[in-house]
Amino acid sequence: MDAVSLRQACAAAIDGYDGGYFHGCDWLRAAFMEVPREHFVPDRVWWPNPQDGHYPLLDRTERPRQWLKAVYRPLAALITQIDDGRVRPEDGPATGGSFTSSISCSAVIVDMLHHLGPQPYEKVLEIGTGSGYTTALLAHRVGAGNVVTMEIDDGLAERAAGNLTALDLTPRTVVGDGEAGYAAAAPYDRILSTAAVRDIPAAWPKQVRPGGVIVTPLDTPYATDALLKLVCDGHGNATGHLIKAVSFMKTRAQRPRRSYEDLGWPGWTDHHVTIGPDGQHIRTT
């Protein structure tokens, strides 16, 4: 199968998951079908599931069909960086180390963009440019000139900018720590982070207009991250709810573990279960 056929099959699979991840969004499906995901994937990436203690290397030049099929596996993230670049694809299959950049799986990206809900011509700040693929999907919806994308790794930022420029997309690409946001272009209508945080950076809600939305993965004490959607009041405050379990790499500053109690999470003893005629209810104090 060629890239277009694989993209169509991938879209069909995503829409077949429980709830249909395109959620009936015509714009989202159109963006997914128009933006060539394979354009943003390096020729050498690691498969995230280890075999015999090694993360296999997928090499486009050696096995192009295997590489392309992996690109369009709807639930597969492809690892593009390990240990902040200290492990290199040229070295072959990798052992140990920490994943520090990837092109996230198609299904999760699509679902996040649905919950973000960007509207045409809105201003969006993306935290974590990575390969530039999600940036391109955002640009398809709001226009590249309305997207500011931040990447802390200058090498990744340069490569992503090249990927985007090759498709005639020129969002503002900023090299810097996304936890600080980018006040120079604020306020934003939406902020999307493709890196997980343990604690929401205070700068983010301060840079979003009243009624604007933040979507980010949030570390939880439940052995997974959760997708969090917040609505901002324009004065640095935000409220929201957890949507579903996801798994993302942490921002660099928030990689060290912290006490969940310090982060404001209720403990196990704070969950109360009641059973009655109308079934089971679980609440926190």
Side-chain angles (χ1 to χ4, degrees), residues 193-198 216-219 225 247-251 254:
S193 177
T194 57
V197 293
R198 304 184 193 276
T216 182
L218 180 70
D219 177 61
D225 299 326
S247 181
F248 277 82
M249 301 165 195
K250 305 293 186 291
T251 60
Q254 299 202 31

Side-chain angles (χ1 to χ4, degrees), residues 54-123:
H54 292 73
Y55 297 105
L57 185 71
L58 302 177
D59 191 324
R60 184 180 194 175
T61 60
E62 293 182 1
R63 303 185 68 179
R65 293 186 63 185
Q66 179 198 43
W67 179 91
L68 188 59
K69 286 182 178 180
V71 168
Y72 283 105
R73 288 278 292 271
L75 295 177
L78 300 177
I79 307 306
T80 58
Q81 188 187 76
I82 296 177
D83 286 350
D84 296 321
R86 290 187 293 275
V87 177
R88 303 183 63 82
E90 291 78 3
D91 298 331
T95 59
S98 299
F99 300 155
T100 50
S101 190
S102 72
I103 179 165
S104 300
C105 64
S106 302
V108 171
I109 292 174
V110 166
D111 207 24
M112 290 179 75
L113 289 174
H114 161 73
H115 290 293
L116 184 70
Q119 301 302 307
Y121 308 113
E122 285 190 332
K123 186 183 293 185

Side-chain angles (χ1 to χ4, degrees), residues 197-281:
V197 293
R198 304 184 193 276
D199 194 12
I200 302 299
W204 293 0
K206 290 179 181 178
Q207 295 180 19
V208 179
R209 65 163 174 82
V213 170
I214 298 172
V215 170
T216 182
L218 180 70
D219 177 61
T220 80
Y222 307 120
T224 183
D225 299 326
L227 192 62
L228 171 65
K229 180 177 180 178
L230 296 166
V231 178
C232 303
D233 69 356
H235 301 285
N237 308 301
T239 58
H241 62 281
L242 303 180
I243 298 171
K244 65 193 307 180
V246 292
S247 181
F248 277 82
M249 301 165 195
K250 305 293 186 291
T251 60
R252 290 189 181 183
Q254 299 202 31
R255 289 174 185 169
R257 291 191 176 277
R258 292 178 58 189
S259 162
Y260 287 115
E261 182 179 2
D262 290 345
L263 290 166
W265 284 95
W268 286 104
T269 57
D270 297 322
H271 289 75
H272 295 263
V273 180
T274 57
I275 310 296
D278 58 346
Q280 172 180 290
H281 300 275

Side-chain angles (χ1 to χ4, degrees), residues 158-171:
E158 182 179 1
R159 186 167 64 192
N163 290 339
L164 292 160
T165 300
L167 296 182
D168 294 324
L169 298 174
T170 54

